[in-house]
Amino acid sequence: MTDDSIDLETQADAVREAVRAADDRIADKKASLTELDSAIGDADHGANMTRGFGKATEQLEETDDHPADVVKTTGVALVSAVGGASGPLYGGSLMKASQELEDGLTPETTVAFAERYLETVESRGKASLGDKTMVDALTPAVHTYKKSIEVDGCAPLEALGKAVDAARRGVEFTTPLRAKKGRASYLGWRSVGHQDPGATSTLILLEELLAVATEHLDGEVDVDAEAEVDPEELETSVADDPEATGEDVSTSDDLPADGGD
Amino acid sequence: MKKLINDPDAVVDEMIEGMCTAHDFRRLEGTTVVVRADAPLEGKVGIVSGGGSGHEPTHAGFIGDGMLDGAAAGEVFTSPTADQISEMIQACDGGEGVFCVIKNYEGDVMNFETAMEMAEMEAETEVESVVVDDDVAVEDSLYTSGRRGVAGTIFVHKVAGAMAHQGGGLSEIKRVAAKANEHVGTMGMALTSCVTPEKGEPTFELSAEEVELGIGIHGEPGTERTDVMSADEIADHLTEAVLEDLDLEGGTEVVTMVNGMGGTPLMELYVVNRRVQEIVGEAGLEVWDERVGDYMTSLDMMGCSITVLELDDELKELLAYPAETPGLTVVE
């Protein structure tokens, strides 16, 4: 893909579409996010994220025809409407990372965006890989995206597909971990065996980003079958049954996603 | 549970309405942020704070000359959101920047940090902050990594506010606020749990024969549950824990605070204070000032916290500087 072929207005439209898609998907998944969060948190993640993306969607009309502005405005909306810790983590990080998109969406700017986003989540949440947080979904996704683009020379859509797969494995990997950050950490060993809600919502957003990117960029790139969004797979990726998800993942890769057994 | 509440969802809103008619406060439209009516003060660093509601007079009750310029109120025991904090910061910037006093709770810290970035990005406001963590009872708690920020925050408000009113810049204010935080310790206890408006029932169960030591200000559990003790025994336990943490030499000057948790009769706080002064005296410390009252509450919880702040000449001068707020007044 050569990015100068797509103008900023079209890019902004695609990002708006991704926000709307995320809003729909989060609303669909409200109950399962709430269920995950009631096991190890305070049962408000589904409601908070739904409220946040609802507000983000409402504000899309007021955004400039530039992807950076759409991302930034979405960040501000999430900060104001999600609340708690997820508001600053999701919204504040989008706001900050949007600065990397001043030149529009290119392979280079999207890598910089992804890295800045991860960095902000880590520093704000003071969380590291393996703490059973959204960082566990984000880190493999961001690393895979960067490597696919910079080392393997993949097109962005293919790289994003690989990143989403990596995030999915990261989410599975949160299940057998003991939480070290956030409210779940106070459960100590009782947090083991539960999938992290923040990592799960992160995966949902990445999956929607991929779905919208696929619609826009398909044809220019052969999308790997693995990267196609399969509704069945999505269903299991947010299920709270570690066995079901472990099985699902083991079919497509060899990472230690079955560590929860 | 009987309460003077119309609608649990409207309690913060209605509280702020009542607050703004009672005092020289102004509410930022569409927010739960309260600032002094004449904010921003030109040529002075703005001092702001904020956090969940339910701790009144903290924080809005300390808005006024010599202390805060603004306070952001979240829902009960819930951090205010970063966009509102950012609006507050911008509304209190009189050209010299804004200093934020943050209590150490994960939600508060993340929202304030995000808000400071927003204010810097949107309005190029210069911001600095201190995170107060004076609670000696716990290292990590239900809502924090590290120690919690509790009643010692009032002294940080006072010191930062006085420095700002004397014309101190952001870095000077940060220095004295950090110094106050470093030299203050607090520990609290509960005779009863508190009742949040939303839940309408006690947050935790405490029988008539038990007390909870080392509690926070959100009805989160403490460090130890024991059989009921006398006022003197409780004062001994809390004060000794604070003094052990501060590890002060004999002859050191201190200020003490016996803080009510919201549902404690003042009479009982004075009974506790009587014993606190005896212990502090026995430890060879010089009490420069004593505070007794409701400063950092936990809704209707019965109980108290005890705070000791180690002083030097600079902190004494800043604490003695005049202040006029609904929650704390110091006259020359």
Side-chain angles (χ1 to χ4, degrees):
Chain A
M1 169 186 117
T2 50
D3 295 86
D4 24 5
S5 64
I6 300 179
D7 60 39
L8 289 175
E9 199 178 327
T10 311
Q11 292 182 3
D13 274 337
V15 179
R16 288 189 192 106
E17 210 179 300
V19 174
R20 282 191 203 97
D23 180 28
D24 288 346
R25 228 355 241 313
I26 289 280
D28 278 355
K29 288 291 168 197
K30 184 177 168 184
S32 57
L33 285 175
T34 299
E35 206 178 313
L36 288 176
D37 196 29
S38 26
I40 53 173
D42 52 359
D44 60 359
H45 193 55
N48 291 348
M49 291 295 283
T50 306
R51 195 174 55 242
F53 273 90
K55 178 153 185 196
T57 302
E58 277 168 32
Q59 297 194 339
L60 286 177
E61 279 173 27
E62 292 155 33
T63 52
D64 298 342
D65 280 331
H66 192 298
D69 190 63
V70 181
V71 173
K72 187 185 157 199
T73 306
T74 300
V76 175
L78 295 182
V79 158
S80 68
V82 177
S86 290
L89 286 170
Y90 273 114
S93 306
L94 281 182
M95 270 165 40
K96 203 159 178 185
S98 72
Q99 293 169 333
E100 303 290 344
L101 301 177
E102 290 303 325
D103 297 332
L105 304 174
T106 70
E108 293 76 25
T109 62
T110 52
V111 168
F113 170 85
E115 287 190 295
R116 187 82 179 277
Y117 183 92
L118 172 61
E119 212 178 275
T120 313
V121 170
E122 283 177 323
S123 68
R124 181 121 310 143
K126 299 177 180 72
S128 315
L129 195 60
D131 286 351
K132 197 182 183 94
T133 69
M134 57 176 74
V135 170
D136 297 335
L138 269 177
T139 307
V142 172
H143 288 191
T144 301
Y145 187 70
K146 183 180 167 82
K147 189 251 183 186
S148 302
I149 298 236
E150 292 184 357
V151 180
D152 302 338
C154 294
L157 183 58
E158 191 186 352
L160 186 57
K162 289 174 189 283
V164 171
D165 281 342
R168 191 171 296 124
R169 295 200 289 272
V171 172
E172 311 296 353
F173 195 56
T174 63
T175 302
L177 294 179
R178 176 180 169 171
K180 298 228 184 68
K181 280 285 160 190
R183 227 166 258 224
S185 64
Y186 304 109
L187 289 176
W189 292 107
R190 280 178 292 155
S191 65
V192 173
H194 296 281
Q195 185 172 305
D196 181 64
T200 307
S201 54
T202 297
L203 173 62
I204 290 177
L205 299 181
L206 286 171
E207 284 170 343
E208 289 313 302
L209 193 60
L210 174 63
V212 172
T214 304
E215 274 173 44
H216 280 258
L217 302 175
D218 206 7
E220 296 182 47
V221 180
D222 260 346
V223 182
D224 188 358
E226 258 188 313
E228 289 281 9
V229 181
D230 169 5
E232 281 299 306
E233 193 177 18
L234 297 191
E235 209 51 55
T236 54
S237 70
V238 291
D240 57 352
D241 180 350
E243 278 177 41
T245 44
E247 198 179 287
D248 179 55
V249 161
S250 62
T251 58
S252 59
D253 60 67
D254 53 2
L255 276 178
D258 56 346
D261 297 342
Chain B
M1 190 67 68
K2 288 183 280 189
K3 287 282 161 196
L4 293 173
I5 287 175
N6 299 309
D7 170 4
D9 290 335
V11 67
V12 172
D13 229 44
E14 294 182 356
M15 169 186 78
I16 289 174
E17 273 183 49
M19 229 178 220
C20 288
T21 58
H23 310 298
D24 267 346
F25 293 173
R26 170 164 66 87
R27 178 185 192 157
L28 300 185
E29 211 188 312
T31 72
T32 46
V33 170
V34 173
V35 300
R36 47 184 297 158
D38 55 358
L41 295 188
E42 293 300 325
K44 183 188 90 72
V45 171
I47 307 290
V48 299
S49 190
S53 293
H55 307 304
E56 293 69 27
T58 294
H59 292 278
F62 300 109
I63 292 178
D65 280 342
M67 288 184 82
L68 302 180
D69 296 280
E75 290 301 314
V76 171
F77 296 167
T78 304
S79 168
T81 57
D83 57 317
Q84 294 206 5
I85 300 170
S86 169
E87 271 195 62
M88 166 175 73
I89 291 173
Q90 294 174 47
C92 294
D93 183 15
E96 298 297 319
V98 175
F99 186 79
C100 302
V101 181
I102 310 164
K103 301 197 299 305
N104 191 29
Y105 297 97
E106 279 170 1
D108 286 4
V109 172
M110 282 191 224
N111 279 291
F112 264 92
E113 282 180 355
T114 304
M116 295 191 312
E117 276 174 15
M118 289 173 82
E120 279 167 341
M121 260 165 74
E122 288 165 11
E124 291 181 4
T125 307
E126 267 192 274
V127 283
E128 268 296 354
S129 64
V130 68
V131 177
V132 182
D133 57 351
D134 57 314
D135 190 342
V136 306
V138 288
E139 203 42 60
D140 292 299
S141 77
L142 186 55
Y143 303 104
T144 50
S145 32
R147 295 170 18 157
R148 299 175 290 213
V150 286
T153 310
I154 310 312
F155 291 130
V156 181
H157 286 344
K158 179 70 188 72
V159 163
M163 183 52 100
H165 269 259
Q166 290 177 21
L170 274 176
S171 60
E172 277 294 274
I173 294 168
K174 187 180 170 87
R175 184 181 60 76
V176 294
K179 179 157 81 174
N181 181 47
E182 231 168 85
H183 293 99
V184 68
T186 299
M187 182 151 158
M189 60 80 57
L191 299 169
T192 65
S193 171
C194 54
V195 175
T196 58
E198 200 184 339
K199 233 177 148 189
E201 53 190 64
T203 310
F204 59 88
E205 287 304 325
L206 203 54
S207 77
E209 290 78 35
E210 292 174 310
V211 297
E212 182 110 11
L213 300 172
I215 44 108
I217 51 173
H218 304 97
E220 65 265 49
T223 46
E224 196 184 335
R225 192 167 279 202
T226 70
D227 291 342
V228 122
M229 296 190 275
S230 69
D232 280 1
E233 285 169 326
I234 286 170
D236 286 355
H237 192 99
L238 300 182
T239 313
E240 278 161 15
V242 172
L243 292 181
E244 191 182 331
D245 184 81
L246 291 175
D247 193 20
L248 306 177
E249 282 176 23
T252 306
E253 284 187 289
V254 296
V255 50
T256 60
M257 175 188 279
V258 174
N259 168 59
M261 300 306 292
T264 321
L266 197 48
M267 183 176 77
E268 296 177 22
L269 297 181
Y270 281 119
V271 170
V272 170
N273 187 54
R274 170 195 140 275
R275 178 63 187 157
V276 171
Q277 300 311 317
E278 285 176 8
I279 308 165
V280 171
E282 283 163 21
L285 304 172
E286 304 276 333
V287 177
W288 176 78
D289 195 12
E290 304 166 34
R291 293 263 157 209
V292 178
D294 279 3
Y295 295 96
M296 175 78 71
T297 60
S298 185
L299 292 169
D300 56 354
M301 181 184 279
M302 287 167 71
C304 69
S305 66
I306 289 168
T307 301
V308 177
L309 169 65
E310 177 189 3
L311 297 172
D312 64 6
D313 289 344
E314 184 179 44
L315 290 179
K316 269 199 297 190
E317 190 207 318
L318 293 167
L319 290 175
Y321 190 82
E324 196 182 345
T325 75
L328 181 72
T329 299
V330 177
V331 287
E332 224 165 344

Coordinates of all heavy atoms in Angstrom, one line a residue, chain A residues 126, chain B residues 50-52 55 59 77 79 102-112 131-135 138 141-151 153 215-218 220 296:
Chain A
K126 N 1.6 2.1 35.4 CA 2.8 1.5 36.1 C 2.7 0.0 36.0 O 3.0 -0.7 37.0 CB 2.9 2.0 37.5 CG 3.1 3.5 37.5 CD 3.1 4.0 39.0 CE 3.3 5.6 39.0 NZ 2.0 6.3 38.5
Chain B
G50 N -8.4 17.6 44.5 CA -9.7 16.9 44.0 C -9.6 15.5 44.4 O -8.6 14.9 44.8
G51 N -10.7 14.8 44.2 CA -10.8 13.4 44.5 C -12.3 13.0 44.6 O -13.2 13.8 44.3
G52 N -12.6 11.9 45.1 CA -13.9 11.4 45.2 C -14.7 12.3 46.3 O -14.0 12.9 47.1
H55 N -15.7 13.0 51.4 CA -14.6 13.3 52.4 C -14.7 14.8 52.9 O -13.8 15.3 53.5 CB -13.2 13.2 51.8 CG -13.0 11.8 51.1 ND1 -13.2 10.7 51.8 CD2 -12.7 11.5 49.8 CE1 -13.0 9.7 51.0 NE2 -12.7 10.1 49.8
H59 N -12.5 18.3 49.3 CA -11.4 19.2 49.2 C -11.9 20.7 49.1 O -11.3 21.6 49.4 CB -10.6 18.9 47.9 CG -9.8 17.7 48.0 ND1 -8.6 17.6 48.6 CD2 -10.1 16.4 47.6 CE1 -8.1 16.4 48.6 NE2 -9.0 15.6 47.9
F77 N -16.5 8.6 46.5 CA -15.3 7.7 46.6 C -14.8 7.3 45.2 O -14.2 6.2 45.0 CB -15.7 6.4 47.3 CG -16.0 6.6 48.8 CD1 -16.6 5.6 49.6 CD2 -15.7 7.8 49.4 CE1 -16.9 5.8 50.9 CE2 -16.0 8.0 50.8 CZ -16.6 7.0 51.5
S79 N -12.7 8.9 41.6 CA -11.9 10.0 41.1 C -12.7 10.8 40.2 O -13.5 10.3 39.4 CB -10.7 9.4 40.4 OG -10.1 10.5 39.6
I102 N -2.4 15.8 45.0 CA -3.1 14.6 44.6 C -3.0 13.6 45.8 O -1.8 13.4 46.2 CB -2.5 14.0 43.3 CG1 -2.4 15.1 42.2 CG2 -3.3 12.8 42.9 CD1 -1.5 14.7 41.1
K103 N -4.0 13.0 46.2 CA -3.9 11.9 47.2 C -3.6 10.6 46.4 O -4.0 10.4 45.3 CB -5.3 11.7 47.9 CG -5.7 13.0 48.7 CD -6.8 12.7 49.7 CE -8.1 12.1 49.2 NZ -8.7 12.9 48.1
N104 N -2.8 9.8 47.1 CA -2.3 8.6 46.4 C -3.3 7.5 46.3 O -3.3 6.6 47.1 CB -1.0 8.1 47.0 CG -0.3 7.0 46.2 OD1 -0.4 7.0 45.0 ND2 0.3 6.1 46.8
Y105 N -4.2 7.6 45.3 CA -5.1 6.5 44.9 C -4.9 6.3 43.4 O -4.8 7.3 42.7 CB -6.5 6.8 45.2 CG -6.7 7.0 46.7 CD1 -6.7 8.2 47.3 CD2 -6.8 5.8 47.5 CE1 -6.8 8.3 48.7 CE2 -6.9 6.0 48.9 CZ -6.9 7.2 49.5 OH -6.9 7.3 50.8
E106 N -4.9 5.1 42.9 CA -4.6 4.9 41.5 C -5.4 5.7 40.6 O -4.9 6.3 39.6 CB -4.7 3.4 41.2 CG -3.5 2.6 41.6 CD -3.7 1.1 41.5 OE1 -4.8 0.6 41.1 OE2 -2.8 0.3 41.9
G107 N -6.8 5.7 40.8 CA -7.7 6.5 39.9 C -7.3 8.0 39.9 O -7.3 8.6 38.9
D108 N -7.1 8.5 41.1 CA -6.8 10.0 41.3 C -5.5 10.3 40.5 O -5.4 11.3 39.8 CB -6.7 10.4 42.7 CG -8.0 10.4 43.5 OD1 -9.0 10.1 42.9 OD2 -8.0 10.8 44.6
V109 N -4.5 9.5 40.8 CA -3.2 9.8 40.2 C -3.3 9.7 38.7 O -2.8 10.6 38.0 CB -2.1 8.8 40.7 CG1 -0.8 9.0 40.0 CG2 -1.9 9.0 42.2
M110 N -3.9 8.7 38.1 CA -4.0 8.5 36.6 C -4.8 9.7 36.0 O -4.4 10.2 35.0 CB -4.6 7.2 36.3 CG -3.7 6.0 36.4 SD -4.5 4.6 35.6 CE -4.1 3.4 36.8
N111 N -5.9 10.0 36.7 CA -6.7 11.1 36.1 C -6.1 12.5 36.2 O -6.1 13.3 35.3 CB -8.1 11.1 36.7 CG -9.1 10.1 36.1 OD1 -9.5 10.2 35.0 ND2 -9.3 9.0 36.9
F112 N -5.4 12.7 37.3 CA -4.7 14.0 37.4 C -3.5 14.0 36.4 O -3.3 15.1 35.8 CB -4.1 14.2 38.9 CG -5.1 15.0 39.7 CD1 -6.0 14.4 40.5 CD2 -4.9 16.4 39.7 CE1 -6.9 15.2 41.3 CE2 -5.8 17.2 40.5 CZ -6.8 16.6 41.3
V131 N 2.1 14.0 45.1 CA 1.2 12.9 45.5 C 1.4 12.7 46.9 O 2.5 12.3 47.4 CB 1.5 11.7 44.6 CG1 0.6 10.5 45.1 CG2 1.3 12.0 43.1
V132 N 0.3 12.9 47.7 CA 0.4 12.8 49.2 C 0.2 11.3 49.5 O -0.8 10.7 49.1 CB -0.6 13.7 49.8 CG1 -0.5 13.6 51.4 CG2 -0.5 15.1 49.4
D133 N 1.1 10.8 50.4 CA 0.9 9.4 50.8 C 1.3 9.3 52.3 O 2.4 8.8 52.6 CB 1.8 8.4 50.0 CG 3.2 8.8 49.9 OD1 3.6 9.9 50.4 OD2 4.0 8.0 49.4
D134 N 0.5 9.8 53.2 CA 0.8 9.9 54.6 C 0.4 8.8 55.5 O 0.7 8.7 56.6 CB 0.3 11.2 55.1 CG -1.2 11.3 55.0 OD1 -1.7 11.0 53.9 OD2 -1.9 11.7 55.9
D135 N -0.4 7.8 54.9 CA -1.0 6.8 55.8 C 0.1 5.7 56.1 O 0.5 5.0 55.3 CB -2.2 6.1 55.0 CG -3.0 5.2 55.9 OD1 -2.5 4.8 57.0 OD2 -4.1 4.9 55.6
V138 N -0.7 1.1 55.9 CA -0.5 0.1 54.8 C 0.5 0.5 53.8 O 0.6 1.6 53.4 CB -1.9 -0.2 54.1 CG1 -2.8 -1.0 55.0 CG2 -2.5 1.1 53.6
S141 N -2.8 -1.0 49.3 CA -4.2 -1.2 49.8 C -5.1 -1.5 48.6 O -4.7 -1.7 47.5 CB -4.6 0.1 50.5 OG -5.0 1.0 49.5
L142 N -6.4 -1.6 49.0 CA -7.4 -1.9 48.0 C -7.3 -0.9 46.8 O -7.6 -1.3 45.6 CB -8.8 -1.8 48.6 CG -10.0 -2.2 47.8 CD1 -9.8 -3.6 47.3 CD2 -11.2 -2.2 48.7
Y143 N -6.9 0.3 47.0 CA -7.0 1.3 45.9 C -5.6 1.9 45.6 O -5.5 2.8 44.8 CB -7.9 2.5 46.2 CG -9.3 2.0 46.5 CD1 -9.8 2.0 47.8 CD2 -10.2 1.6 45.5 CE1 -11.1 1.6 48.1 CE2 -11.5 1.2 45.8 CZ -11.9 1.2 47.1 OH -13.2 0.8 47.4
T144 N -4.6 1.5 46.2 CA -3.3 2.1 46.0 C -2.1 1.2 45.8 O -2.2 0.1 46.3 CB -2.8 2.9 47.2 OG1 -2.9 2.1 48.4 CG2 -3.6 4.2 47.4
S145 N -1.1 1.6 45.1 CA 0.2 1.0 45.2 C 1.0 2.0 46.1 O 0.9 3.2 45.8 CB 0.9 0.7 43.9 OG 0.5 1.7 43.0
G146 N 1.6 1.6 47.1 CA 2.3 2.5 48.0 C 1.3 2.9 49.1 O 0.2 2.3 49.2
R147 N 1.6 3.9 49.9 CA 0.8 4.3 51.0 C -0.3 5.2 50.5 O -0.2 5.9 49.5 CB 1.6 5.1 52.0 CG 2.7 4.2 52.6 CD 3.7 4.8 53.5 NE 3.5 6.2 54.0 CZ 4.2 6.6 55.1 NH1 5.0 5.8 55.8 NH2 4.0 7.8 55.5
R148 N -1.4 5.3 51.3 CA -2.6 6.1 50.9 C -2.4 7.5 51.3 O -1.7 7.8 52.2 CB -3.9 5.5 51.5 CG -4.2 4.1 51.2 CD -5.4 3.6 51.9 NE -5.1 3.4 53.4 CZ -5.7 2.4 54.1 NH1 -6.5 1.6 53.5 NH2 -5.4 2.3 55.4
G149 N -3.1 8.4 50.6 CA -3.2 9.8 51.0 C -4.4 10.0 51.8 O -5.5 9.7 51.4
V150 N -4.2 10.5 53.1 CA -5.3 10.7 54.0 C -5.2 12.1 54.6 O -4.9 13.1 53.9 CB -5.5 9.6 55.0 CG1 -6.1 8.3 54.3 CG2 -4.2 9.2 55.7
A151 N -5.5 12.2 55.9 CA -5.7 13.6 56.5 C -4.5 14.5 56.4 O -4.6 15.7 56.5 CB -6.2 13.4 58.0
T153 N -3.0 15.3 54.0 CA -3.2 16.2 52.8 C -3.6 17.6 53.2 O -3.2 18.5 52.5 CB -4.3 15.6 52.0 OG1 -4.0 14.2 51.8 CG2 -4.4 16.2 50.6
I215 N -7.8 1.7 59.0 CA -8.7 1.9 57.9 C -8.3 3.0 57.0 O -7.6 4.0 57.4 CB -10.2 2.2 58.4 CG1 -10.2 3.2 59.5 CG2 -10.9 0.9 58.8 CD1 -10.7 4.5 59.1
G216 N -8.8 3.0 55.8 CA -8.6 4.1 54.8 C -9.9 5.0 54.9 O -10.6 4.9 55.9
I217 N -10.1 5.8 53.9 CA -11.2 6.8 54.0 C -12.3 6.4 53.0 O -13.1 7.2 52.6 CB -10.7 8.2 53.7 CG1 -9.8 8.3 52.4 CG2 -9.9 8.7 54.9 CD1 -9.5 9.7 52.0
H218 N -12.3 5.2 52.5 CA -13.3 4.7 51.6 C -14.1 3.5 52.1 O -14.6 2.8 51.3 CB -12.7 4.4 50.2 CG -11.9 5.5 49.6 ND1 -10.6 5.6 49.8 CD2 -12.3 6.6 48.9 CE1 -10.1 6.7 49.2 NE2 -11.2 7.4 48.7
E220 N -12.6 1.0 52.9 CA -11.8 -0.2 52.6 C -11.3 -0.8 53.9 O -11.1 -0.1 54.9 CB -10.7 0.1 51.6 CG -9.6 1.1 52.1 CD -9.9 2.5 51.7 OE1 -11.0 3.0 51.9 OE2 -8.9 3.2 51.2
M296 N -10.9 15.4 57.1 CA -10.9 14.4 56.0 C -11.8 13.2 56.4 O -11.4 12.4 57.2 CB -9.5 13.9 55.8 CG -9.3 12.8 54.8 SD -9.3 13.3 53.1 CE -7.8 14.2 52.9

